Amino acid sequence: MDESKHKERDRENKKREREREEKQHGRGDDNDENNPKMIPIRKENNVTREDAELKDEEEQRRLGEEIQKRRRRAQELLEYFMRKNEEAKLAMNCGYGVEELEINDFPQNARWRLTRKETLAPISEWTGAAISTRGQYFAPGRIPGPGERKLYLFIEGPNEQSVKRAKSELKRVLEDIMKQALQSASHPGRYQVL
């Protein structure tokens, strides 16, 4: 027993002596946690702390470049939309016009004639304004829901004058249609087929 204690002491003394020598000469195990040049890792992957720091720096540089790239793209998009907004404002200041004429509450015959291509095409050609039918028909007493609009004509043109001219022409056509309807109502036998 004495001999086993003696062997154990010898082993501990040799171990301490080795550690002292390693400290003095700057040597150590590759996986030593106290070694500032090494990261404690598995034996099969000997990556130094410098290698890991280089990888981190490279990753940070790559991420920084990606962020800069996205910032530039966002700035380009912002400038594009601001430019388009300015162009739209300039177009409106140059007289670009828009008007609406609600036709929902007029009789069916009047609505039908006003929305026909044969009626709208000559007016558009003469005035230079584009006329389109929008919304939907709502019977009397029915109220449009949220996001719904009663039937109307949307008039847009290169300037306010062309839009006003188109709207006044549409009103004139509408008056003619209504006059014809009143005349046919006052002369009921006039259009009867015998």
Side-chain angles (χ1 to χ4, degrees), residues 110-152:
R111 290 192 313 269
W112 181 76
R113 288 213 18 221
L114 266 180
T115 56
R116 291 186 70 202
K117 184 179 179 180
E118 291 80 16
T119 305
L120 298 178
I123 297 171
S124 289
E125 195 174 309
W126 175 63
T127 62
I131 306 166
S132 57
T133 306
R134 295 195 180 171
Q136 63 184 33
Y137 175 71
F138 285 88
R142 186 166 168 241
I143 300 170
E148 295 179 322
R149 294 266 323 260
K150 287 185 173 185
L151 190 64
Y152 67 99

